Amino acid sequence: MKDPVCGEEVTQSPYKVTYKGKTYLFCSPMCMAEFKKRPENYVK
Ligand SMILES: [Zn+2]
């Protein structure tokens, strides 16, 4: 799946967030932290 913050393709990652019932994967802790700050910016 795509990292919703930077758009990079991520297949395996220890950085995951479940938001509104969906799990999102991130390429890095920075992207995950950014998503957690403003998830509504990255989820349509
Ligand atoms: Zn990323």
Side-chain angles (χ1 to χ4, degrees), residues 1-10 25-32 34-35 41-42:
M1 82 167 5
K2 268 201 164 98
D3 178 327
V5 175
C6 68
E8 211 171 294
E9 201 62 44
V10 185
L25 293 180
F26 302 91
C27 66
S28 67
M30 286 83 79
C31 283
M32 184 173 68
E34 178 61 26
F35 183 85
N41 281 13
Y42 301 106

Side-chain angles (χ1 to χ4, degrees), residues 4 17 19 33-44:
V17 174
Y19 177 71
E34 178 61 26
F35 183 85
K36 280 179 171 173
K37 263 191 268 174
R38 290 181 288 270
E40 66 284 357
N41 281 13
Y42 301 106
V43 175
K44 282 150 217 160

Side-chain angles (χ1 to χ4, degrees), residues 10-23:
V10 185
T11 48
Q12 284 272 44
S13 175
Y15 313 114
K16 303 177 187 183
V17 174
T18 302
Y19 177 71
K20 293 188 176 174
K22 280 189 77 180
T23 301

